[in-house]
Amino acid sequence: MGLFGKQFANVVEWEETRDDVIFYKWNNEEIKKGSRLIIRPGQDAIFMYNGKTEGIFTDEGSYDIESDIVPFLSTLKGFKFGFNSGIRAEVLFINTKEFVMKWGTKNAVNLPHPSLPGGLPIRANGTFQFKVGDYAVLIDKIAGIKKQYVTDEVRERVISMLDQLLLRWIVREGKDMFNVQANAMEISKGIMEELDMEMMKIGLTITGFQINTVSYPEEIQEMINKVASQSMVGDMGRYQQMAVLDAMNNGGGNGSSMAADMASMQMGMMMGQQMVNQMQNTMGMQQPQQAAPAPAPQGAAGEGPKFCPNCGQKTDGAKFCSNCGQKLR
């Protein structure tokens, strides 16, 4: 006889059409004689009777409830279907896949900073992954009162905790708050572990957590960019050059084009002069020490030198130097 051949026969199944549903509770008054349970890939089925879990079925396939399911239920093993009788039970279908969600801070997180009384405000976003981890806890905390549970509800719960977790782990790591992105992996690991402990309270487990971007207020970001640019420029008149660059970036229209050209020339001249100075300094360091001056050449035969070879005093044809007494000829 076909699937619907018997009177009152029905099919217990979850035809999942949405990918954001974590669980779905089938409830159709009674499960009749001849009914079948269909479990699709990525689903587990939990039989519940009077709010109590009777059995968990994880293998996909089509099962006859009377012969394949009831004999394995904890307290209904001896149940017999009559012509008009059925089981007033519920079947909870669990989506077993891993869900990937995006997150973002609801408000700016103020990181403590000695120079900023109110703290340094930052915002961050990223992704996290989760799946159902404990069926008993999920039923006790969520599924007992809901027909279905969707990922947006999990996202709201996670985001409500993230601001404090971000603050705690950024400060705990003691990293440079102006370069949080470079330490995102260590911070993310700590947040994931703590977030997982919180979500296990409702039967979910966090399988991954990532920080994608960290943003600062516009004026702070501009300051960070300037500091980075100055570090690249080095000592070549950094503040003057940055002022020139600002003028060039802010210039617009014909009235400012000449000023921008002059600023560009000025910057080029400063950089050229700096390069010349560096080359001169380098050459001066590499130039070998000069030898002592050679003694003055001797004059004509019979004449002494015009200058003393010992002290350089003018001799005026004398035989001895009037300054040091050196013999000249």
Side-chain angles (χ1 to χ4, degrees):
M1 185 175 291
L3 185 62
F4 299 101
K6 294 183 180 180
Q7 189 178 9
F8 302 118
N10 58 4
V11 177
V12 180
E13 63 179 337
W14 178 24
E15 295 181 312
E16 183 182 356
T17 58
R18 294 170 51 181
D19 58 4
D20 64 334
V21 180
I22 300 169
F23 69 73
Y24 165 78
K25 186 185 295 181
W26 185 95
N27 189 339
N28 193 25
E29 295 297 332
E30 288 185 345
I31 299 175
K32 300 295 185 178
K33 183 179 177 65
S35 297
R36 300 192 68 82
L37 171 67
I38 297 177
I39 303 177
R40 291 182 168 81
Q43 297 177 358
D44 285 351
I46 303 175
F47 264 77
M48 302 174 64
Y49 184 72
N50 291 332
K52 179 183 176 182
T53 299
E54 293 289 336
I56 300 175
F57 303 89
T58 60
D59 294 333
E60 61 186 78
S62 177
Y63 302 91
D64 181 88
I65 292 179
E66 182 179 6
S67 60
D68 298 330
I69 302 299
V70 170
F72 295 96
L73 300 181
S74 58
T75 60
L76 297 178
K77 294 180 179 180
F79 178 84
K80 298 295 182 180
F81 283 95
F83 182 76
N84 291 319
S85 65
I87 304 175
R88 292 185 176 274
E90 297 174 330
V91 180
L92 184 68
F93 288 93
I94 303 290
N95 192 334
T96 62
K97 75 176 183 180
E98 181 181 68
F99 297 91
V100 180
M101 305 294 296
K102 294 181 179 180
W103 64 266
T105 49
K106 295 185 68 174
N107 304 297
V109 179
N110 292 312
L111 304 181
H113 191 277
S115 302
L116 301 171
L120 174 66
I122 68 166
R123 292 182 179 274
N125 63 67
T127 57
F128 69 93
Q129 298 79 42
F130 74 94
K131 62 188 305 183
V132 178
D134 190 321
Y135 291 170
V137 175
L138 181 71
I139 292 171
D140 182 53
K141 299 297 183 179
I142 304 293
I145 57 175
K146 285 181 173 287
K147 185 176 179 65
Q148 69 177 21
Y149 195 46
V150 296
T151 55
D152 279 343
E153 295 176 85
V154 176
R155 190 207 311 270
E156 287 298 318
R157 184 182 288 264
V158 168
I159 290 177
S160 69
M161 296 183 281
L162 273 183
D163 290 3
Q164 291 301 317
L165 290 177
L166 277 168
L167 176 61
R168 183 183 308 169
W169 280 95
I170 292 174
V171 174
R172 181 180 297 182
E173 288 294 320
K175 302 296 185 179
D176 180 7
M177 65 179 60
F178 293 103
N179 198 15
V180 174
Q181 194 74 42
N183 307 295
M185 184 173 295
E186 299 175 18
I187 297 171
S188 296
K189 182 179 178 181
I191 292 176
M192 187 190 80
E193 292 175 354
E194 194 162 346
L195 191 61
D196 182 53
M197 289 190 293
E198 291 296 323
M199 298 305 290
M200 280 300 293
K201 295 177 181 179
I202 61 170
L204 302 180
T205 181
I206 302 297
T207 56
F209 185 89
Q210 299 82 34
I211 298 174
N212 293 342
T213 61
V214 177
S215 60
Y216 301 89
E218 184 176 353
E219 59 275 14
I220 299 294
Q221 188 63 54
E222 290 178 357
M223 185 169 61
I224 294 173
N225 293 340
K226 283 187 177 182
V227 171
S229 299
Q230 290 167 4
S231 299
M232 293 176 65
V233 171
D235 294 328
M236 295 186 292
R238 62 174 61 182
Y239 294 106
Q240 295 181 16
Q241 293 181 32
M242 294 310 301
V244 171
L245 288 173
D246 287 342
M248 293 174 62
N249 291 331
N250 295 330
N254 296 331
S256 60
S257 60
M258 183 177 295
D261 292 341
M262 293 177 65
S264 179
M265 292 175 61
Q266 181 183 358
M267 184 179 67
M269 292 171 65
M270 287 190 298
M271 294 179 66
Q273 183 62 46
Q274 184 68 22
M275 293 175 65
V276 171
N277 293 340
Q278 290 178 350
M279 292 176 64
Q280 290 176 346
N281 292 337
T282 303
M283 293 175 64
M285 294 174 61
Q286 296 177 351
Q287 186 174 356
Q289 185 176 1
Q290 294 182 354
Q298 297 290 329
E303 294 182 358
K306 294 182 179 180
F307 296 92
C308 175
N310 185 45
C311 66
Q313 176 70 27
K314 190 173 181 181
T315 63
D316 294 327
K319 294 182 178 181
F320 297 91
C321 177
S322 60
N323 182 48
C324 66
Q326 172 72 30
K327 184 177 179 179
L328 303 176
R329 57 178 177 173

